[in-house]
Amino acid sequence: MASNDEQKVQTTGHTWDGDLAEYNNPLPQWWVWVFYGTVVFAVIYWILYPAWPVGDTYTQGVLEYNKRAKLDNTLQKVETGQLYPERQEALSQIAQKNPVAILDDPELMNFVNSSGKVLFGDNCAPCHGSGGQGVKGHYPNLTDGAWLYGGKPSDIHETLVKGRNGYMPGHENKLSEQQIEALAMYEGSLAGEDWAEGNPEKVARGEELFQGDEAACYACHGRDAKGNQTLGAPNLTDAIWLYGGDKATVFETLAKGRGGEMPAWEDRLSGDQIKILAAYVHSLGGGQ
């Protein structure tokens, strides 16, 4: 057994008020050596690699290591096919094909689905959502088959290249509230909305306004109200509403009008990237 003296805690000899002693508890030796090792490592790292800011630059280190240069070198190898040559081969095929031919090539679509998902996530998902579902009242759903400007691969490609500008004029300055309500009832009845039932007089009045020159809705949406993809005028009979199909929202659309813009990507993405995106968007399920 340890003696009483050995069991006593060592002190530094300092005391306060004659009673409070300062203990002497040194760090374990292994911990001290680990600390010294980290100091040595830091000094070696500082000598070898970029480390300390100096004015508007920094110490370069004797190895002159540069992460940006390494990244640029890797990207250059990828672009030239030195790394991942199968990627370069796929891009070469895409450059020679139109979106329809790309969609008809199962092996090429494997590449499109993987790279297109990344392109879509970086450029399209902030508006249309990660799966292309859109945001009601703001951005259209790309998976439902209802396309304002057409859902064929060539249409989607043109939309990506040139962008789109949609405009629905408001009628509050030329029609009364009663007339706008009648128009809303008629358009609701075309889509089979429950709230438009039970008032045939207003529906009939709304049809007169729709087909007449007073509102002239037919000029964009057609006599059958099935829309016009050349103008980007939506089909009013399919019960698919970008801004909502309840009575209040339809009334607001007719009264205030709507406007939206799809930006052009021809100056932001390469031709191959746009082809990949066109094929990928079409494959989401809503392409025609």
Side-chain angles (χ1 to χ4, degrees):
M1 294 181 59
S3 66
N4 290 336
D5 290 337
E6 291 174 336
Q7 291 179 347
K8 290 182 179 179
V9 178
Q10 293 182 355
T11 67
T12 64
H14 297 160
T15 60
W16 289 266
D17 296 332
D19 295 323
L20 298 176
E22 180 181 353
Y23 288 165
N24 180 21
N25 290 318
L27 292 169
Q29 198 64 31
W30 67 266
W31 195 99
V32 174
W33 284 112
V34 169
F35 173 73
Y36 291 153
T38 59
V39 173
V40 173
F41 175 83
V43 172
I44 295 174
Y45 187 95
W46 176 29
I47 295 172
L48 296 179
Y49 293 95
W52 291 95
V54 180
D56 59 353
T57 182
Y58 52 88
T59 57
Q60 302 295 317
V62 297
L63 297 182
E64 296 185 352
Y65 179 79
N66 189 312
K67 286 187 176 180
R68 171 60 64 182
K70 185 176 181 180
L71 174 61
D72 290 342
N73 183 53
T74 300
L75 292 176
Q76 182 65 26
K77 289 181 178 179
V78 171
E79 291 298 323
T80 57
Q82 292 177 268
L83 286 176
Y84 311 114
E86 62 277 7
R87 174 184 179 275
Q88 193 64 29
E89 174 62 24
L91 289 174
S92 178
Q93 293 183 47
I94 287 172
Q96 300 172 23
K97 295 184 176 183
N98 58 43
V100 175
I102 295 171
L103 285 163
D104 290 338
D105 189 327
E107 291 187 6
L108 204 53
M109 280 304 296
N110 289 332
F111 174 79
V112 166
N113 288 330
S114 60
S115 59
K117 185 176 182 179
V118 175
L119 283 170
F120 190 91
D122 290 344
N123 302 283
C124 312
C127 293
H128 294 283
S130 59
Q133 311 92 333
V135 178
K136 192 172 184 178
H138 297 281
Y139 310 108
N141 186 342
L142 304 179
T143 68
D144 61 7
W147 296 82
L148 296 180
Y149 296 93
K152 294 183 294 185
S154 57
D155 297 327
I156 298 172
H157 185 269
E158 183 179 355
T159 296
L160 288 166
V161 171
K162 300 296 184 183
R164 302 292 187 182
N165 286 283
Y167 174 67
M168 157 74 184
H171 292 77
E172 60 183 352
N173 293 327
K174 61 179 181 179
L175 297 178
S176 67
E177 287 191 10
Q178 293 76 17
Q179 289 174 315
I180 293 175
E181 182 183 11
L183 261 179
M185 295 291 286
Y186 173 64
E187 293 185 5
S189 70
L190 290 173
E193 301 291 351
D194 294 340
W195 52 264
E197 297 179 358
N199 201 325
E201 294 83 6
K202 283 189 177 180
V203 170
R205 176 57 180 147
E207 182 176 9
E208 291 177 4
L209 289 166
F210 187 95
Q211 301 291 353
D213 293 335
E214 198 168 3
C217 303
Y218 71 89
C220 293
H221 296 280
R223 293 290 183 183
D224 58 2
K226 292 189 179 297
N228 186 333
Q229 291 184 346
T230 302
L231 301 175
N235 183 348
L236 303 178
T237 69
D238 58 7
I240 297 176
W241 305 88
L242 175 57
Y243 295 96
D246 59 280
K247 183 178 178 180
T249 303
V250 175
F251 183 95
E252 181 182 358
T253 297
L254 289 165
K256 303 291 185 181
R258 303 288 187 183
E261 179 183 1
M262 158 73 183
W265 294 91
E266 61 181 346
D267 295 328
R268 311 184 193 193
L269 299 176
S270 68
D272 293 344
Q273 288 175 320
I274 291 177
K275 285 184 181 180
I276 290 171
L277 267 178
Y280 177 78
V281 169
H282 187 280
S283 71
L284 290 176
Q288 297 170 352

